[in-house]
Amino acid sequence: MKPHVTLAMFIAAWLMPMHVMAANEQEQAHVHAKEQAVKPQSDTKKNEEHKKHEEHNEHEGHDENDEHEHNETLSSRISDDMATAVNIVTDRADSQRLRQHQVVYGKLSADPNRISHVNARFPGILTSVKFSLGDSVKAGDVLAVVESNESLNTYTIKAPIDGVIIQRSANVGEVAQQQTLFSIADFGGLWADFRLYPSQQDAVATGQNVVIMAADTEINGVIAHIIPSLTQPYQLARVKLDNRDGKLSSGQLIEGAVISGEFNVELAVKKSAIQILDNKSGVFVKNNSEYVFTPLQLGRSDMDYVEVIAGLKPGQWYVTTNSYLLKADIEKSEAEHDH
């Protein structure tokens, strides 16, 4: 059975909290006044603490915004003077002709048709020897003088070709008979001999163009012969080279790219420009003094260029040399930001 509530009881219950609140307010006001009298600086201190708290929140919010903006764009600002000083080079993105290729390895060898072995025409005593091993000679130069055993007359032995003496078996006082006295090689022409293993042989044929890398030199040539081997598990692809400038040496190890196909692409960038940031491959696009990392969707490639399917427009300037410096600058900034 519910208790009977009269109107008087309801009014008293409604007014009681108000009286209590008023009494509490009076008591709080009295305490506040007392505190003000004892500690006049307390509110000021609270206000300062409140202000610092707000500044801290604002700073945190600013940091969050900075981090958001930092993560949106990966870029580095470098003045043109500084870029020149550290050799940051740019180029225009454009269409390219790409060349598919097979990479092959081999070495340079002397042309057998340019090697001459010199003998004495008649047996006799060598009375004079003019040149030593490694000397360069011209066709017609006197190499040695021989006194004939039969006539006792002297005759000369002359160089039949221009070249370098690579072998000498002639000394004054020795008997010249049937032995080779001098071997002369003309290194003005060399052969590049590349090994072709079974997996490569179907893609390589005579007449194909080859780009040859020998040390810091790049040479274009054509496959003249493909020679099978009786004892080795490879064939030899031979390319004739002009070496009249003497920059190449017989026995030098070389690398070649046999061009097996050529095609045009609408847009390509140099392989040297590609960097990886945030697990994405891309290039640094120049916008005044700002270099922005731009992720790319890449396609086919050759020795020097890679096709761009998406991410870049023709005519944009991108960094081709020393782009790693920009990557390092961004990674350093990110590391400092994390700390």
Side-chain angles (χ1 to χ4, degrees):
M1 181 175 180
K2 293 183 179 180
H4 181 69
V5 180
T6 64
L7 180 60
M9 293 172 61
F10 176 78
I11 293 173
W14 181 68
L15 289 176
M16 185 181 298
M18 297 181 64
H19 290 299
V20 173
M21 290 172 58
N24 288 340
E25 287 178 354
Q26 290 178 358
E27 183 178 356
Q28 289 177 2
H30 177 72
V31 172
H32 179 70
K34 185 177 180 182
E35 288 178 348
Q36 287 282 46
V38 177
K39 297 181 179 180
Q41 302 296 327
S42 61
D43 280 352
T44 303
K45 184 176 182 181
K46 287 181 181 179
N47 289 336
E48 289 177 352
E49 290 178 353
H50 181 69
K51 184 177 181 181
K52 288 181 180 179
H53 181 70
E54 289 182 344
E55 289 177 350
H56 177 70
N57 290 339
E58 182 180 355
H59 179 69
E60 286 185 345
H62 180 68
D63 286 347
E64 290 176 359
N65 291 335
D66 283 351
E67 183 176 0
H68 177 70
E69 293 175 358
H70 177 76
N71 290 334
E72 272 188 357
T73 303
L74 297 174
S75 64
S76 178
R77 287 188 177 273
I78 300 178
S79 68
D80 290 342
D81 290 341
M82 178 60 71
T84 300
V86 298
N87 195 33
I88 291 177
V89 181
T90 59
D91 196 3
R92 282 171 56 92
D94 206 347
S95 60
Q96 292 292 337
R97 184 167 182 82
L98 303 187
R99 299 183 291 182
Q100 292 178 325
H101 62 279
Q102 289 281 334
V103 177
V104 291
Y105 299 93
K107 66 178 182 178
L108 300 179
S109 62
D111 185 347
N113 296 325
R114 291 174 176 258
I115 298 177
S116 181
H117 302 289
V118 182
N119 301 78
R121 288 177 295 164
F122 309 104
I125 302 296
L126 287 163
T127 61
S128 176
V129 177
K130 305 292 186 181
F131 292 94
S132 300
L133 188 68
D135 286 344
S136 296
V137 297
K138 297 290 186 181
D141 285 347
V142 175
L143 302 177
V145 178
V146 180
E147 183 183 276
S148 172
N149 288 341
E150 295 182 2
S151 65
L152 300 180
N153 293 326
T154 60
Y155 66 92
T156 59
I157 299 175
K158 297 181 179 181
I161 62 172
D162 295 351
V164 177
I165 296 176
I166 60 173
Q167 180 182 346
R168 191 188 102 162
S169 299
N171 292 307
V172 173
E174 293 181 342
V175 176
Q177 295 183 351
Q178 300 299 318
Q179 80 272 27
T180 298
L181 299 177
F182 301 91
S183 292
I184 302 172
D186 177 6
F187 295 108
L190 298 176
W191 285 96
D193 296 326
F194 293 105
R195 294 182 178 184
L196 298 179
Y197 291 94
S199 61
Q200 300 171 307
Q201 291 170 8
D202 289 341
V204 179
T206 57
Q208 286 181 319
N209 294 321
V210 185
V211 179
I212 301 169
M213 283 72 72
D216 295 329
T217 305
E218 184 174 298
I219 308 163
N220 293 312
V222 178
I223 296 177
H225 312 289
I226 293 181
I227 304 173
S229 174
L230 296 177
T231 59
Q232 301 296 333
Y234 54 78
Q235 297 177 347
L236 282 181
R238 308 199 77 204
V239 180
K240 195 172 185 177
L241 302 179
D242 186 342
N243 189 43
R244 285 175 292 182
D245 58 8
K247 292 182 178 180
L248 304 175
S249 301
S250 179
Q252 185 175 346
L253 298 178
I254 53 175
E255 177 182 340
V258 181
I259 308 304
S260 55
E262 299 186 60
F263 52 90
N264 294 323
V265 295
E266 293 183 0
L267 188 61
V269 295
K270 291 184 177 180
K271 282 185 172 180
S272 61
I274 301 296
Q275 294 293 342
I276 297 176
L277 275 173
D278 287 351
N279 296 320
K280 297 177 181 178
S281 296
V283 296
F284 285 93
V285 175
K286 187 177 189 301
N287 183 13
N288 295 323
S289 62
E290 185 176 20
Y291 297 84
V292 181
F293 179 75
T294 305
L296 303 178
Q297 183 180 348
L298 303 174
R300 298 166 292 179
S301 66
D302 65 4
M303 293 175 290
D304 301 314
Y305 287 89
V306 58
E307 179 184 17
V308 176
I309 298 174
L312 198 65
K313 296 179 180 179
Q316 286 186 288
W317 289 87
Y318 70 100
V319 179
T320 60
T321 303
N322 287 339
S323 58
Y324 74 92
L325 296 175
L326 301 171
K327 176 182 177 180
D329 183 54
I330 290 174
E331 290 177 339
K332 180 182 177 182
S333 298
E334 287 184 332
E336 292 174 351
H337 183 78
D338 291 339
H339 289 293

mmCIF file of all heavy atoms in Angstrom, residues 49-59:
data_model
loop_
_atom_site.group_PDB
_atom_site.id
_atom_site.type_symbol
_atom_site.label_atom_id
_atom_site.label_comp_id
_atom_site.label_asym_id
_atom_site.label_seq_id
_atom_site.Cartn_x
_atom_site.Cartn_y
_atom_site.Cartn_z
ATOM 1 N N GLU A 49 47.528 28.118 -14.956
ATOM 2 C CA GLU A 49 47.553 26.685 -15.237
ATOM 3 C C GLU A 49 46.550 26.326 -16.317
ATOM 4 O O GLU A 49 46.811 25.502 -17.197
ATOM 5 C CB GLU A 49 47.254 25.907 -13.954
ATOM 6 C CG GLU A 49 48.382 25.991 -12.928
ATOM 7 C CD GLU A 49 48.025 25.257 -11.657
ATOM 8 O OE1 GLU A 49 46.856 24.816 -11.539
ATOM 9 O OE2 GLU A 49 48.895 25.133 -10.782
ATOM 10 N N HIS A 50 45.376 26.948 -16.255
ATOM 11 C CA HIS A 50 44.354 26.691 -17.268
ATOM 12 C C HIS A 50 44.839 27.130 -18.651
ATOM 13 O O HIS A 50 44.648 26.428 -19.651
ATOM 14 C CB HIS A 50 43.070 27.442 -16.892
ATOM 15 C CG HIS A 50 41.955 27.212 -17.883
ATOM 16 N ND1 HIS A 50 41.321 26.008 -18.025
ATOM 17 C CD2 HIS A 50 41.402 28.070 -18.784
ATOM 18 C CE1 HIS A 50 40.407 26.112 -18.969
ATOM 19 N NE2 HIS A 50 40.426 27.343 -19.443
ATOM 20 N N LYS A 51 45.522 28.287 -18.699
ATOM 21 C CA LYS A 51 46.048 28.794 -19.972
ATOM 22 C C LYS A 51 47.110 27.857 -20.529
ATOM 23 O O LYS A 51 47.153 27.560 -21.727
ATOM 24 C CB LYS A 51 46.629 30.184 -19.763
ATOM 25 C CG LYS A 51 47.123 30.831 -21.043
ATOM 26 C CD LYS A 51 47.613 32.233 -20.774
ATOM 27 C CE LYS A 51 48.097 32.890 -22.052
ATOM 28 N NZ LYS A 51 48.593 34.256 -21.812
ATOM 29 N N LYS A 52 48.006 27.376 -19.614
ATOM 30 C CA LYS A 52 49.036 26.446 -20.062
ATOM 31 C C LYS A 52 48.425 25.167 -20.610
ATOM 32 O O LYS A 52 48.873 24.592 -21.603
ATOM 33 C CB LYS A 52 49.972 26.107 -18.904
ATOM 34 C CG LYS A 52 50.896 27.247 -18.514
ATOM 35 C CD LYS A 52 51.813 26.837 -17.372
ATOM 36 C CE LYS A 52 52.741 27.974 -16.986
ATOM 37 N NZ LYS A 52 53.612 27.583 -15.857
ATOM 38 N N HIS A 53 47.356 24.698 -19.946
ATOM 39 C CA HIS A 53 46.669 23.490 -20.406
ATOM 40 C C HIS A 53 46.092 23.682 -21.805
ATOM 41 O O HIS A 53 46.208 22.817 -22.672
ATOM 42 C CB HIS A 53 45.572 23.126 -19.405
ATOM 43 C CG HIS A 53 44.821 21.876 -19.777
ATOM 44 N ND1 HIS A 53 45.395 20.613 -19.721
ATOM 45 C CD2 HIS A 53 43.546 21.705 -20.217
ATOM 46 C CE1 HIS A 53 44.518 19.720 -20.103
ATOM 47 N NE2 HIS A 53 43.382 20.352 -20.410
ATOM 48 N N GLU A 54 45.478 24.871 -22.004
ATOM 49 C CA GLU A 54 44.930 25.161 -23.330
ATOM 50 C C GLU A 54 46.032 25.226 -24.379
ATOM 51 O O GLU A 54 45.885 24.723 -25.496
ATOM 52 C CB GLU A 54 44.157 26.483 -23.287
ATOM 53 C CG GLU A 54 42.846 26.380 -22.525
ATOM 54 C CD GLU A 54 42.113 27.704 -22.550
ATOM 55 O OE1 GLU A 54 42.757 28.733 -22.879
ATOM 56 O OE2 GLU A 54 40.900 27.728 -22.251
ATOM 57 N N GLU A 55 47.168 25.880 -24.019
ATOM 58 C CA GLU A 55 48.283 25.970 -24.960
ATOM 59 C C GLU A 55 48.836 24.598 -25.292
ATOM 60 O O GLU A 55 49.194 24.309 -26.431
ATOM 61 C CB GLU A 55 49.395 26.854 -24.368
ATOM 62 C CG GLU A 55 49.023 28.314 -24.308
ATOM 63 C CD GLU A 55 50.119 29.130 -23.653
ATOM 64 O OE1 GLU A 55 51.055 28.508 -23.089
ATOM 65 O OE2 GLU A 55 50.037 30.364 -23.694
ATOM 66 N N HIS A 56 48.884 23.716 -24.252
ATOM 67 C CA HIS A 56 49.378 22.360 -24.472
ATOM 68 C C HIS A 56 48.466 21.613 -25.443
ATOM 69 O O HIS A 56 48.931 20.938 -26.372
ATOM 70 C CB HIS A 56 49.464 21.622 -23.140
ATOM 71 C CG HIS A 56 49.898 20.181 -23.285
ATOM 72 N ND1 HIS A 56 51.186 19.848 -23.645
ATOM 73 C CD2 HIS A 56 49.214 19.027 -23.132
ATOM 74 C CE1 HIS A 56 51.297 18.538 -23.705
ATOM 75 N NE2 HIS A 56 50.106 18.013 -23.396
ATOM 76 N N ASN A 57 47.145 21.739 -25.223
ATOM 77 C CA ASN A 57 46.197 21.085 -26.130
ATOM 78 C C ASN A 57 46.331 21.620 -27.539
ATOM 79 O O ASN A 57 46.269 20.883 -28.527
ATOM 80 C CB ASN A 57 44.760 21.277 -25.627
ATOM 81 C CG ASN A 57 44.498 20.478 -24.358
ATOM 82 O OD1 ASN A 57 45.212 19.510 -24.077
ATOM 83 N ND2 ASN A 57 43.488 20.885 -23.585
ATOM 84 N N GLU A 58 46.493 22.957 -27.611
ATOM 85 C CA GLU A 58 46.641 23.572 -28.928
ATOM 86 C C GLU A 58 47.906 23.086 -29.620
ATOM 87 O O GLU A 58 47.915 22.801 -30.811
ATOM 88 C CB GLU A 58 46.683 25.095 -28.772
ATOM 89 C CG GLU A 58 46.783 25.816 -30.120
ATOM 90 C CD GLU A 58 46.826 27.321 -29.946
ATOM 91 O OE1 GLU A 58 46.679 27.791 -28.805
ATOM 92 O OE2 GLU A 58 47.004 28.018 -30.963
ATOM 93 N N HIS A 59 49.000 22.961 -28.833
ATOM 94 C CA HIS A 59 50.276 22.487 -29.395
ATOM 95 C C HIS A 59 50.148 21.054 -29.895
ATOM 96 O O HIS A 59 50.643 20.704 -30.958
ATOM 97 C CB HIS A 59 51.355 22.583 -28.318
ATOM 98 C CG HIS A 59 52.692 22.094 -28.806
ATOM 99 N ND1 HIS A 59 53.423 22.764 -29.754
ATOM 100 C CD2 HIS A 59 53.401 20.970 -28.485
ATOM 101 C CE1 HIS A 59 54.531 22.117 -30.001
ATOM 102 N NE2 HIS A 59 54.543 21.008 -29.249
#
